[in-house]
Amino acid sequence: MTQTTRVLIIEDHKDIAEMLYDYFERRDYEMDYASDGRMGFNLASQNDYDIILLDLMLPEMDGLDVCRKLREESKVYTPILMLTARDTLEDKVIGLETGADDYLVKPFEILELEARIKALMRRKGQIAQQEVLTVADLELDTGTLEVRRSNKSIYLSPIGLKILTILMKESPKVVSRNQLEHEIWGDILPDSDTLRSHMYNLRKQIDKPFAQPLLQTIQSRGYRIGDAP
């Protein structure tokens, strides 16, 4: 029996919320809805969803705060797809930095949204085999999803964890941008800024507080994790 996909929509625009609710409910998704950030945060914290569609501009608590609190305080790792009218690189970096997995700019095509949801669902749980990956003083436990460097715990978003897992498994080899994008997003690739934004955030989280950088950008080739060559 195919398991029903549970979706939480956190969106204050009634027309958009109704359109999403009706479209996905007709396709046998199990839907839940919140019209403000505080209600959405409470639902997401207290229930088990497969995907969260999160608007940024919300009453009571904005989408960035909802995302940040879910990740850092409630330890909710459900994939989050942000829906917003903000389309600058800075906005995308901030959204992904708070823990979002993907970012779709309004107005959007409902078929693209559905494709992105399916891509996120395929990635959910990909980090399944338990092992501890180690590069220098950086450790990633793929079973518990804990990341530590110099015995300091580091929080990463689900996409950040996937990127780090790929790079650490391949270390010290260089992983191309195309390989990373296809392993993470499959055939439904995001816009050109998304991987760059995730890499920016990953570098800030695993390298910035420490003296020795490990995440390297290799010009025209890709990225690698390891001591400087």
Side-chain angles (χ1 to χ4, degrees):
M1 180 180 294
T2 302
Q3 185 176 355
T4 301
T5 299
R6 298 193 68 200
V7 180
L8 172 62
I9 302 170
I10 310 176
E11 169 65 71
D12 65 325
H13 291 281
K14 185 177 179 181
D15 291 344
I16 295 176
E18 288 182 348
M19 180 268 291
L20 294 175
Y21 201 104
D22 291 344
Y23 178 87
F24 287 108
E25 191 173 48
R26 289 198 304 270
R27 285 154 178 80
D28 297 324
Y29 289 74
E30 185 177 334
M31 307 302 296
D32 213 344
Y33 168 64
S35 59
D36 65 68
R38 194 170 304 281
M39 182 190 304
F41 172 76
N42 290 335
L43 285 172
S45 300
Q46 298 166 12
N47 298 279
D48 185 20
Y49 297 102
D50 295 299
I51 187 94
I52 298 171
L53 306 181
L54 176 63
D55 186 26
L56 283 190
M57 302 295 290
L58 293 166
E60 301 296 332
M61 184 191 302
D62 71 32
L64 292 177
D65 284 339
V66 171
C67 189
R68 185 179 297 109
K69 285 170 68 67
L70 286 174
R71 298 307 197 207
E72 296 179 3
E73 296 181 16
S74 300
K75 306 301 181 185
V76 172
Y77 298 111
T78 303
I80 295 176
L81 196 161
M82 284 188 170
L83 306 174
T84 178
R86 301 174 182 174
D87 62 353
T88 68
L89 177 59
E90 181 181 4
D91 289 325
K92 294 175 183 178
V93 168
I94 292 172
L96 298 171
E97 183 178 21
T98 60
D101 297 276
D102 204 353
Y103 194 108
L104 195 57
V105 176
K106 299 176 181 177
F108 53 81
E109 295 291 337
I110 191 70
L111 291 178
E112 180 181 2
L113 175 60
E114 185 175 20
R116 287 175 180 264
I117 288 174
K118 289 179 178 179
L120 285 172
M121 290 301 302
R122 284 195 298 270
R123 294 199 301 275
K124 187 180 180 183
Q126 280 185 340
I127 303 175
Q129 183 180 356
Q130 185 169 359
E131 59 181 317
V132 177
L133 304 174
T134 303
V135 175
D137 58 346
L138 178 66
E139 292 185 353
L140 165 60
D141 187 320
T142 63
T144 64
L145 303 183
E146 291 181 293
V147 179
R148 302 181 68 85
R149 184 167 182 192
S150 295
N151 291 319
K152 178 181 177 182
S153 294
I154 299 172
Y155 164 77
L156 296 180
S157 70
I159 293 295
L161 282 167
K162 181 62 177 175
I163 293 172
L164 185 61
T165 301
I166 295 169
L167 292 176
M168 290 184 74
K169 284 185 174 181
E170 295 291 333
S171 179
K173 294 191 296 184
V174 177
V175 181
S176 71
R177 178 189 180 95
N178 286 340
Q179 180 182 342
L180 275 174
E181 288 181 332
H182 280 89
E183 286 199 39
I184 295 167
W185 288 283
D187 295 330
I188 310 298
L189 298 182
D191 64 51
S192 59
D193 292 330
T194 301
L195 178 61
R196 181 169 52 171
S197 300
H198 278 296
M199 298 304 296
Y200 171 85
N201 290 326
L202 183 60
R203 180 175 282 110
K204 185 165 65 172
Q205 290 161 305
I206 68 170
D207 277 347
K208 189 174 182 180
F210 305 96
Q212 179 64 41
L214 294 176
L215 178 55
Q216 300 147 27
T217 301
I218 310 301
Q219 189 68 31
S220 302
R221 294 182 59 197
Y223 305 94
R224 70 183 291 271
I225 284 278
D227 294 323

